[in-house]
Amino acid sequence: MFSKLKEALTSFTKRISETLKYRELSSEEVEKFCNNFLLELVEADVAFDVAQEITESIKSKLREIKVPRGRNTEEVILDVTRDSIREMLNRGLSRNFLEIIKDTLSISKPVKIVFVGVNGVGKTTTIAKVAYMAMKNSLRPVIVAADTFRAGAQEQLKKHSANLNIPFIGGKYGSDPASVAFDGVIYAAKNGYDIVLIDTAGRMHVDVDLMNELRKIVKVVNPHLKILVVDALTGNDAIEQVKFFDKAVGIDGVILTKVDADAKGGAALSIILGIGRPIFFIGVGQGYEDLELYDPNTILSRIL
Ligand code: GDP
């Protein structure tokens, strides 16, 4: 995970600190180091505009840098680089997910969460992971498959629910997704469940239909949270997906999947920095336990 990005950052900080050991950096040198670094970031799959933002931020800090006596130069450069990236990663910070759930539960039960996102991003797996995490925290979830067009989605969720021993509410092929979602909420309310996790369709090629379908589900269910699931490997497309689903239903936050599969590291970083939305969790594997709270420091420690 993040190997190429890590390499780029390490060699950048090393090169600068080598020079700084002997004298201050000239502005030409700062420019040269940062331009090389920008190219390396792009090679590690960081989107160009994001790479530019990172290097501009580091550049402005480097121009004023003075290494205090007794401090290791490389550490000082590392700090500067870390600070720049951390400031940008903080854009993805959200309120703690479990706190949101618990606060909501104190005024309204069950907590209703609608998941949106394009097919294949890992939506059904993520719903199962969230259900598992909820159970680990003594909450009782129900899983609802309100994608009635894709038989595979129903089957997958049913299987996950059976594995986790969680009630599953599905619908017949072609039935009204909003009514399936509503049935799920009623079931949870009647039986004292804490959270209803509702899957929705994610076919992008019929934009208008999908938007209307999602809007109807949201109108009928009135969810507490609308979460977009995004695949870390999709690059710029992820930004378009955020726009599409935000326009359709308005999203409260994002779960970023497959961060573990981003071998170079730049793709995930670009999305985190590019979408500028709260990120509740990141997906780091295919198992139910492979879901982590989004934490800029954990991401940073993986990179640097
Ligand atoms: P959906 O079509 O959006 O519901 O996607 P699925 O949940 O079926 O996931 C598609 C594939 O991505 C499956 O093989 C999942 O196991 C895999 N997947 C989902 N999340 C992650 C993740 O965080 N890391 C990795 N490596 N694979 C994931």
Side-chain angles (χ1 to χ4, degrees):
M1 218 187 299
F2 294 160
S3 60
K4 187 117 189 180
L5 193 57
K6 199 170 182 167
E7 246 170 58
L9 287 163
T10 314
S11 73
F12 171 68
T13 48
K14 269 214 167 82
R15 267 180 276 145
I16 293 198
S17 47
E18 276 306 311
T19 312
L20 261 180
K21 254 183 216 162
Y22 304 105
R23 54 188 165 77
E24 283 183 11
L25 288 171
S26 68
S27 55
E28 288 79 22
E29 277 169 328
V30 170
E31 200 65 33
K32 195 177 108 208
F33 281 128
C34 287
N35 286 345
N36 277 341
F37 183 43
L38 186 138
L39 293 179
E40 284 174 355
L41 287 175
V42 172
E43 271 172 33
D45 285 348
V46 177
F48 187 79
D49 49 346
V50 172
Q52 216 167 18
E53 201 186 338
I54 294 174
T55 45
E56 282 306 317
S57 159
I58 295 176
K59 226 185 260 181
S60 64
K61 290 192 168 88
L62 281 180
R63 282 197 198 105
E64 290 150 24
I65 199 163
K66 293 255 181 322
V67 181
R69 249 173 212 285
R71 275 212 67 188
N72 179 305
T73 321
E74 203 166 326
E75 262 172 30
V76 175
I77 302 298
L78 261 177
D79 281 349
V80 166
T81 313
R82 252 191 224 121
D83 286 349
S84 291
I85 298 178
R86 187 185 291 109
E87 278 163 21
M88 293 171 74
L89 286 171
N90 281 345
R91 282 184 214 153
L93 275 175
S94 67
R95 263 192 75 205
N96 180 286
F97 185 79
L98 280 168
E99 272 175 26
I100 300 179
I101 301 300
K102 285 181 178 157
D103 286 354
T104 310
L105 268 177
S106 66
I107 43 172
S108 166
K109 188 174 157 172
V111 178
K112 298 165 283 183
I113 305 178
V114 167
F115 292 83
V116 297
V118 177
N119 292 337
V121 295
K123 194 151 39 96
T124 40
T125 310
T126 300
I127 291 173
K129 288 178 181 178
V130 173
Y132 177 77
M133 186 267 316
M135 287 200 303
K136 285 256 158 194
N137 287 279
S138 311
L139 297 164
R140 297 172 69 224
V142 170
I143 289 180
V144 183
D147 178 356
T148 57
F149 285 90
R150 211 164 52 108
Q154 295 262 333
E155 279 313 307
Q156 251 162 268
L157 271 177
K158 203 171 177 175
K159 218 162 123 193
H160 286 309
S161 308
N163 290 346
L164 295 167
N165 203 14
I166 292 171
F168 167 81
I169 311 293
K172 283 208 185 78
Y173 178 79
S175 60
D176 179 11
S179 106
V180 176
F182 190 70
D183 287 349
V185 173
I186 297 293
Y187 176 90
K190 270 194 181 153
N191 296 284
Y193 284 89
D194 300 306
I195 312 185
V196 196
L197 306 171
I198 303 167
D199 184 29
T200 60
R203 45 185 204 289
M204 283 289 272
H205 48 284
V206 274
D207 283 7
V208 180
D209 281 358
L210 180 62
M211 268 200 191
N212 289 335
E213 177 177 325
L214 295 176
R215 282 181 182 145
K216 188 171 170 196
I217 293 174
V218 165
K219 197 169 159 205
V220 168
V221 167
N222 193 19
H224 298 98
L225 283 177
K226 290 158 284 177
I227 298 181
L228 173 68
V229 183
V230 173
D231 178 338
L233 306 177
T234 49
N236 236 344
D237 216 36
I239 317 281
E240 293 307 312
Q241 290 166 20
V242 171
K243 285 187 198 150
F244 174 86
F245 287 99
D246 213 21
K247 186 172 168 212
V249 292
I251 55 167
D252 300 299
V254 171
I255 296 181
L256 190 64
T257 64
K258 309 186 196 177
V259 173
D260 58 302
D262 181 12
K264 293 182 181 174
L269 188 70
S270 302
I271 294 185
I272 294 170
L273 301 181
I275 55 179
R277 300 302 168 101
I279 299 170
F280 291 121
F281 295 103
I282 58 170
V284 291
Q286 295 183 295
Y288 294 132
E289 70 287 358
D290 295 326
L291 189 72
E292 292 179 4
L293 279 174
Y294 174 73
D295 175 6
N297 286 323
T298 326
I299 304 266
L300 261 180
S301 64
R302 282 188 170 130
I303 305 174
L304 278 171

Short mmCIF file of all heavy atoms in Angstrom, two decimals, residues 144-194:
data_model
loop_
_atom_site.label_atom_id
_atom_site.label_comp_id
_atom_site.label_asym_id
_atom_site.label_seq_id
_atom_site.Cartn_x
_atom_site.Cartn_y
_atom_site.Cartn_z
N VAL A 144 -31.03 -4.01 3.97
CA VAL A 144 -32.12 -3.93 2.99
C VAL A 144 -31.55 -3.78 1.59
O VAL A 144 -30.73 -2.89 1.33
CB VAL A 144 -33.04 -2.72 3.29
CG1 VAL A 144 -34.21 -2.68 2.33
CG2 VAL A 144 -33.51 -2.74 4.74
N ALA A 145 -31.99 -4.64 0.67
CA ALA A 145 -31.52 -4.56 -0.72
C ALA A 145 -32.58 -3.87 -1.57
O ALA A 145 -33.52 -4.49 -2.05
CB ALA A 145 -31.24 -5.96 -1.25
N ALA A 146 -32.44 -2.55 -1.72
CA ALA A 146 -33.42 -1.80 -2.51
C ALA A 146 -32.92 -1.57 -3.94
O ALA A 146 -33.33 -0.63 -4.59
CB ALA A 146 -33.74 -0.47 -1.83
N ASP A 147 -32.02 -2.45 -4.40
CA ASP A 147 -31.66 -2.46 -5.82
C ASP A 147 -32.40 -3.67 -6.39
O ASP A 147 -31.95 -4.80 -6.27
CB ASP A 147 -30.14 -2.64 -5.99
CG ASP A 147 -29.73 -2.72 -7.45
OD1 ASP A 147 -30.62 -2.73 -8.32
OD2 ASP A 147 -28.52 -2.77 -7.72
N THR A 148 -33.55 -3.42 -6.99
CA THR A 148 -34.38 -4.55 -7.44
C THR A 148 -34.15 -4.87 -8.91
O THR A 148 -34.84 -5.68 -9.49
CB THR A 148 -35.88 -4.23 -7.21
OG1 THR A 148 -36.19 -3.03 -7.90
CG2 THR A 148 -36.21 -4.10 -5.75
N PHE A 149 -33.16 -4.20 -9.52
CA PHE A 149 -32.88 -4.44 -10.94
C PHE A 149 -31.73 -5.41 -11.13
O PHE A 149 -31.61 -6.06 -12.14
CB PHE A 149 -32.57 -3.13 -11.67
CG PHE A 149 -33.81 -2.32 -11.90
CD1 PHE A 149 -34.23 -1.40 -10.95
CD2 PHE A 149 -34.58 -2.51 -13.04
CE1 PHE A 149 -35.39 -0.67 -11.14
CE2 PHE A 149 -35.74 -1.78 -13.24
CZ PHE A 149 -36.15 -0.86 -12.29
N ARG A 150 -30.86 -5.48 -10.12
CA ARG A 150 -29.68 -6.32 -10.26
C ARG A 150 -29.82 -7.50 -9.31
O ARG A 150 -29.65 -7.36 -8.10
CB ARG A 150 -28.44 -5.49 -9.91
CG ARG A 150 -27.19 -5.92 -10.67
CD ARG A 150 -26.12 -4.87 -10.60
NE ARG A 150 -25.83 -4.45 -9.23
CZ ARG A 150 -24.72 -4.76 -8.57
NH1 ARG A 150 -23.79 -5.49 -9.13
NH2 ARG A 150 -24.54 -4.32 -7.33
N ALA A 151 -30.17 -8.65 -9.89
CA ALA A 151 -30.38 -9.84 -9.06
C ALA A 151 -29.12 -10.14 -8.25
O ALA A 151 -29.18 -10.54 -7.09
CB ALA A 151 -30.74 -11.02 -9.94
N GLY A 152 -27.96 -9.89 -8.85
CA GLY A 152 -26.68 -10.18 -8.20
C GLY A 152 -26.53 -9.41 -6.89
O GLY A 152 -26.04 -9.96 -5.90
N ALA A 153 -26.98 -8.16 -6.88
CA ALA A 153 -26.84 -7.33 -5.68
C ALA A 153 -27.68 -7.91 -4.55
O ALA A 153 -27.25 -7.95 -3.39
CB ALA A 153 -27.27 -5.90 -5.99
N GLN A 154 -28.90 -8.37 -4.90
CA GLN A 154 -29.78 -8.98 -3.89
C GLN A 154 -29.12 -10.23 -3.30
O GLN A 154 -29.07 -10.41 -2.09
CB GLN A 154 -31.11 -9.37 -4.54
CG GLN A 154 -31.93 -8.20 -5.03
CD GLN A 154 -33.00 -7.78 -4.05
OE1 GLN A 154 -33.49 -8.58 -3.26
NE2 GLN A 154 -33.35 -6.50 -4.08
N GLU A 155 -28.62 -11.07 -4.22
CA GLU A 155 -28.00 -12.34 -3.80
C GLU A 155 -26.79 -12.10 -2.90
O GLU A 155 -26.64 -12.73 -1.85
CB GLU A 155 -27.56 -13.14 -5.04
CG GLU A 155 -28.68 -13.90 -5.70
CD GLU A 155 -29.53 -14.66 -4.70
OE1 GLU A 155 -28.95 -15.44 -3.90
OE2 GLU A 155 -30.76 -14.46 -4.68
N GLN A 156 -25.94 -11.14 -3.35
CA GLN A 156 -24.72 -10.85 -2.58
C GLN A 156 -25.05 -10.39 -1.15
O GLN A 156 -24.48 -10.87 -0.19
CB GLN A 156 -23.98 -9.70 -3.25
CG GLN A 156 -22.71 -10.10 -3.94
CD GLN A 156 -22.31 -9.02 -4.92
OE1 GLN A 156 -22.68 -9.08 -6.09
NE2 GLN A 156 -21.60 -8.03 -4.46
N LEU A 157 -26.01 -9.48 -1.07
CA LEU A 157 -26.37 -8.94 0.25
C LEU A 157 -27.01 -10.01 1.13
O LEU A 157 -26.80 -10.05 2.34
CB LEU A 157 -27.31 -7.75 0.10
CG LEU A 157 -26.63 -6.40 -0.05
CD1 LEU A 157 -27.64 -5.31 -0.27
CD2 LEU A 157 -25.79 -6.07 1.20
N LYS A 158 -27.80 -10.86 0.48
CA LYS A 158 -28.46 -11.94 1.21
C LYS A 158 -27.40 -12.86 1.83
O LYS A 158 -27.51 -13.27 2.99
CB LYS A 158 -29.34 -12.72 0.24
CG LYS A 158 -30.46 -13.47 0.89
CD LYS A 158 -31.36 -14.00 -0.21
CE LYS A 158 -32.47 -14.82 0.39
NZ LYS A 158 -33.41 -15.25 -0.65
N LYS A 159 -26.36 -13.13 1.02
CA LYS A 159 -25.28 -14.00 1.46
C LYS A 159 -24.52 -13.36 2.64
O LYS A 159 -24.27 -14.00 3.65
CB LYS A 159 -24.32 -14.25 0.30
CG LYS A 159 -23.77 -15.65 0.26
CD LYS A 159 -23.21 -15.96 -1.10
CE LYS A 159 -21.75 -16.37 -0.98
NZ LYS A 159 -21.07 -16.38 -2.27
N HIS A 160 -24.20 -12.09 2.49
CA HIS A 160 -23.51 -11.37 3.58
C HIS A 160 -24.36 -11.41 4.85
O HIS A 160 -23.85 -11.65 5.95
CB HIS A 160 -23.26 -9.91 3.20
CG HIS A 160 -22.16 -9.72 2.19
ND1 HIS A 160 -20.91 -10.26 2.33
CD2 HIS A 160 -22.13 -9.01 1.02
CE1 HIS A 160 -20.15 -9.91 1.29
NE2 HIS A 160 -20.87 -9.16 0.49
N SER A 161 -25.66 -11.15 4.69
CA SER A 161 -26.55 -11.12 5.86
C SER A 161 -26.57 -12.48 6.55
O SER A 161 -26.53 -12.56 7.78
CB SER A 161 -27.98 -10.75 5.46
OG SER A 161 -27.97 -9.58 4.70
N ALA A 162 -26.62 -13.54 5.72
CA ALA A 162 -26.63 -14.89 6.30
C ALA A 162 -25.31 -15.16 7.04
O ALA A 162 -25.31 -15.65 8.17
CB ALA A 162 -26.86 -15.92 5.20
N ASN A 163 -24.19 -14.78 6.41
CA ASN A 163 -22.88 -14.97 7.05
C ASN A 163 -22.83 -14.28 8.41
O ASN A 163 -22.23 -14.78 9.36
CB ASN A 163 -21.76 -14.36 6.20
CG ASN A 163 -21.51 -15.13 4.93
OD1 ASN A 163 -21.98 -16.27 4.80
ND2 ASN A 163 -20.78 -14.53 4.00
N LEU A 164 -23.40 -13.08 8.46
CA LEU A 164 -23.30 -12.27 9.68
C LEU A 164 -24.48 -12.48 10.62
O LEU A 164 -24.54 -11.89 11.70
CB LEU A 164 -23.20 -10.78 9.30
CG LEU A 164 -21.95 -10.37 8.53
CD1 LEU A 164 -22.11 -8.97 7.94
CD2 LEU A 164 -20.73 -10.40 9.46
N ASN A 165 -25.44 -13.31 10.15
CA ASN A 165 -26.63 -13.56 10.95
C ASN A 165 -27.42 -12.28 11.24
O ASN A 165 -27.76 -11.98 12.39
CB ASN A 165 -26.20 -14.26 12.26
CG ASN A 165 -27.35 -15.03 12.86
OD1 ASN A 165 -28.36 -15.26 12.20
ND2 ASN A 165 -27.21 -15.40 14.13
N ILE A 166 -27.67 -11.55 10.17
CA ILE A 166 -28.39 -10.27 10.26
C ILE A 166 -29.66 -10.40 9.42
O ILE A 166 -29.61 -10.96 8.32
CB ILE A 166 -27.51 -9.13 9.69
CG1 ILE A 166 -26.30 -8.90 10.59
CG2 ILE A 166 -28.31 -7.84 9.52
CD1 ILE A 166 -25.29 -7.95 9.98
N PRO A 167 -30.81 -9.86 9.89
CA PRO A 167 -32.01 -9.92 9.05
C PRO A 167 -31.80 -9.23 7.71
O PRO A 167 -31.14 -8.19 7.64
CB PRO A 167 -33.06 -9.17 9.87
CG PRO A 167 -32.52 -9.09 11.24
CD PRO A 167 -31.03 -9.19 11.16
N PHE A 168 -32.37 -9.83 6.67
CA PHE A 168 -32.24 -9.30 5.31
C PHE A 168 -33.63 -9.05 4.73
O PHE A 168 -34.49 -9.93 4.78
CB PHE A 168 -31.48 -10.31 4.44
CG PHE A 168 -31.55 -10.01 2.97
CD1 PHE A 168 -30.70 -9.06 2.41
CD2 PHE A 168 -32.48 -10.65 2.13
CE1 PHE A 168 -30.76 -8.76 1.05
CE2 PHE A 168 -32.53 -10.36 0.77
CZ PHE A 168 -31.68 -9.41 0.24
N ILE A 169 -33.83 -7.85 4.21
CA ILE A 169 -35.10 -7.55 3.54
C ILE A 169 -34.78 -7.27 2.08
O ILE A 169 -34.02 -6.36 1.76
CB ILE A 169 -35.78 -6.30 4.15
CG1 ILE A 169 -35.85 -6.37 5.68
CG2 ILE A 169 -37.17 -6.07 3.53
CD1 ILE A 169 -36.74 -7.43 6.24
N GLY A 170 -35.37 -8.06 1.19
CA GLY A 170 -35.13 -7.86 -0.24
C GLY A 170 -36.45 -7.64 -0.96
O GLY A 170 -37.51 -7.60 -0.34
N GLY A 171 -36.36 -7.50 -2.29
CA GLY A 171 -37.59 -7.31 -3.08
C GLY A 171 -37.53 -8.13 -4.34
O GLY A 171 -36.44 -8.52 -4.79
N LYS A 172 -38.70 -8.39 -4.89
CA LYS A 172 -38.74 -9.14 -6.16
C LYS A 172 -38.11 -8.32 -7.27
O LYS A 172 -38.13 -7.09 -7.24
CB LYS A 172 -40.20 -9.41 -6.54
CG LYS A 172 -40.83 -10.52 -5.74
CD LYS A 172 -41.95 -11.19 -6.59
CE LYS A 172 -42.69 -12.22 -5.78
NZ LYS A 172 -43.66 -11.60 -4.86
N TYR A 173 -37.57 -9.01 -8.27
CA TYR A 173 -36.97 -8.34 -9.43
C TYR A 173 -37.99 -7.37 -10.05
O TYR A 173 -39.13 -7.73 -10.31
CB TYR A 173 -36.54 -9.39 -10.47
CG TYR A 173 -35.97 -8.77 -11.72
CD1 TYR A 173 -34.66 -8.30 -11.75
CD2 TYR A 173 -36.75 -8.60 -12.85
CE1 TYR A 173 -34.14 -7.70 -12.88
CE2 TYR A 173 -36.24 -8.00 -14.00
CZ TYR A 173 -34.94 -7.55 -13.99
OH TYR A 173 -34.43 -6.95 -15.12
N GLY A 174 -37.58 -6.13 -10.22
CA GLY A 174 -38.46 -5.15 -10.86
C GLY A 174 -39.46 -4.48 -9.94
O GLY A 174 -40.19 -3.58 -10.36
N SER A 175 -39.49 -4.89 -8.66
CA SER A 175 -40.46 -4.23 -7.76
C SER A 175 -39.96 -2.84 -7.38
O SER A 175 -38.79 -2.50 -7.61
CB SER A 175 -40.70 -5.10 -6.52
OG SER A 175 -39.47 -5.29 -5.83
N ASP A 176 -40.84 -2.05 -6.77
CA ASP A 176 -40.50 -0.66 -6.48
C ASP A 176 -39.45 -0.56 -5.36
O ASP A 176 -39.71 -0.95 -4.22
CB ASP A 176 -41.79 0.07 -6.07
CG ASP A 176 -41.51 1.54 -5.73
OD1 ASP A 176 -40.39 2.01 -6.02
OD2 ASP A 176 -42.42 2.18 -5.17
N PRO A 177 -38.23 -0.05 -5.69
CA PRO A 177 -37.16 0.01 -4.69
C PRO A 177 -37.55 0.81 -3.45
O PRO A 177 -37.17 0.43 -2.33
CB PRO A 177 -36.02 0.72 -5.43
CG PRO A 177 -36.32 0.55 -6.87
CD PRO A 177 -37.80 0.50 -7.00
N ALA A 178 -38.32 1.87 -3.64
CA ALA A 178 -38.70 2.70 -2.49
C ALA A 178 -39.59 1.90 -1.54
O ALA A 178 -39.48 2.03 -0.31
CB ALA A 178 -39.42 3.97 -2.96
N SER A 179 -40.44 1.05 -2.11
CA SER A 179 -41.33 0.30 -1.22
C SER A 179 -40.56 -0.79 -0.48
O SER A 179 -40.85 -1.10 0.67
CB SER A 179 -42.56 -0.19 -1.98
OG SER A 179 -42.49 -1.55 -2.23
N VAL A 180 -39.52 -1.37 -1.14
CA VAL A 180 -38.66 -2.35 -0.45
C VAL A 180 -37.94 -1.66 0.71
O VAL A 180 -37.89 -2.18 1.83
CB VAL A 180 -37.62 -2.97 -1.42
CG1 VAL A 180 -36.69 -3.91 -0.68
CG2 VAL A 180 -38.32 -3.69 -2.56
N ALA A 181 -37.40 -0.47 0.44
CA ALA A 181 -36.68 0.28 1.48
C ALA A 181 -37.62 0.58 2.65
O ALA A 181 -37.25 0.42 3.82
CB ALA A 181 -36.12 1.56 0.89
N PHE A 182 -38.85 0.97 2.32
CA PHE A 182 -39.82 1.31 3.36
C PHE A 182 -40.16 0.07 4.20
O PHE A 182 -40.21 0.15 5.43
CB PHE A 182 -41.09 1.88 2.70
CG PHE A 182 -42.05 2.46 3.68
CD1 PHE A 182 -41.74 3.64 4.35
CD2 PHE A 182 -43.26 1.83 3.95
CE1 PHE A 182 -42.63 4.17 5.28
CE2 PHE A 182 -44.15 2.37 4.87
CZ PHE A 182 -43.83 3.54 5.54
N ASP A 183 -40.34 -1.07 3.51
CA ASP A 183 -40.61 -2.33 4.24
C ASP A 183 -39.49 -2.63 5.24
O ASP A 183 -39.74 -3.07 6.37
CB ASP A 183 -40.68 -3.52 3.26
CG ASP A 183 -41.96 -3.50 2.44
OD1 ASP A 183 -42.86 -2.71 2.78
OD2 ASP A 183 -42.03 -4.26 1.44
N GLY A 184 -38.26 -2.37 4.80
CA GLY A 184 -37.11 -2.63 5.67
C GLY A 184 -37.16 -1.76 6.92
O GLY A 184 -36.88 -2.23 8.04
N VAL A 185 -37.53 -0.51 6.75
CA VAL A 185 -37.60 0.41 7.90
C VAL A 185 -38.71 -0.03 8.86
O VAL A 185 -38.52 -0.07 10.08
CB VAL A 185 -37.84 1.86 7.41
CG1 VAL A 185 -38.08 2.79 8.59
CG2 VAL A 185 -36.66 2.35 6.57
N ILE A 186 -39.84 -0.40 8.30
CA ILE A 186 -40.97 -0.86 9.13
C ILE A 186 -40.57 -2.11 9.92
O ILE A 186 -40.83 -2.23 11.11
CB ILE A 186 -42.22 -1.16 8.25
CG1 ILE A 186 -42.68 0.11 7.56
CG2 ILE A 186 -43.34 -1.80 9.06
CD1 ILE A 186 -43.23 1.17 8.48
N TYR A 187 -39.90 -3.04 9.22
CA TYR A 187 -39.46 -4.29 9.88
C TYR A 187 -38.56 -3.96 11.06
O TYR A 187 -38.74 -4.49 12.16
CB TYR A 187 -38.73 -5.18 8.87
CG TYR A 187 -38.17 -6.43 9.50
CD1 TYR A 187 -38.93 -7.60 9.57
CD2 TYR A 187 -36.88 -6.44 10.07
CE1 TYR A 187 -38.42 -8.74 10.19
CE2 TYR A 187 -36.38 -7.57 10.69
CZ TYR A 187 -37.15 -8.72 10.74
OH TYR A 187 -36.66 -9.84 11.37
N ALA A 188 -37.59 -3.07 10.82
CA ALA A 188 -36.63 -2.73 11.88
C ALA A 188 -37.34 -2.04 13.04
O ALA A 188 -37.06 -2.33 14.21
CB ALA A 188 -35.54 -1.81 11.31
N ALA A 189 -38.25 -1.14 12.73
CA ALA A 189 -38.96 -0.41 13.78
C ALA A 189 -39.80 -1.36 14.64
O ALA A 189 -39.77 -1.31 15.87
CB ALA A 189 -39.84 0.67 13.16
N LYS A 190 -40.51 -2.27 13.98
CA LYS A 190 -41.40 -3.21 14.70
C LYS A 190 -40.62 -4.15 15.59
O LYS A 190 -41.10 -4.57 16.63
CB LYS A 190 -42.17 -4.05 13.67
CG LYS A 190 -43.48 -3.43 13.26
CD LYS A 190 -44.30 -4.48 12.54
CE LYS A 190 -45.62 -3.88 12.07
NZ LYS A 190 -46.12 -4.57 10.90
N ASN A 191 -39.41 -4.51 15.12
CA ASN A 191 -38.65 -5.54 15.84
C ASN A 191 -37.51 -4.98 16.69
O ASN A 191 -36.65 -5.72 17.16
CB ASN A 191 -38.12 -6.58 14.84
CG ASN A 191 -39.27 -7.34 14.17
OD1 ASN A 191 -39.89 -8.20 14.77
ND2 ASN A 191 -39.57 -6.95 12.95
N GLY A 192 -37.50 -3.69 16.86
CA GLY A 192 -36.55 -3.06 17.78
C GLY A 192 -35.10 -3.03 17.32
O GLY A 192 -34.18 -3.00 18.14
N TYR A 193 -34.87 -3.05 16.02
CA TYR A 193 -33.49 -2.97 15.53
C TYR A 193 -32.99 -1.52 15.58
O TYR A 193 -33.79 -0.58 15.57
CB TYR A 193 -33.39 -3.53 14.10
CG TYR A 193 -33.45 -5.04 14.11
CD1 TYR A 193 -34.68 -5.72 14.03
CD2 TYR A 193 -32.29 -5.80 14.26
CE1 TYR A 193 -34.74 -7.11 14.09
CE2 TYR A 193 -32.34 -7.17 14.31
CZ TYR A 193 -33.56 -7.83 14.22
OH TYR A 193 -33.61 -9.20 14.28
N ASP A 194 -31.65 -1.38 15.65
CA ASP A 194 -31.07 -0.03 15.82
C ASP A 194 -30.79 0.69 14.50
O ASP A 194 -30.95 1.90 14.41
CB ASP A 194 -29.75 -0.13 16.60
CG ASP A 194 -29.94 -0.73 17.97
OD1 ASP A 194 -30.79 -0.20 18.72
OD2 ASP A 194 -29.26 -1.72 18.29
#
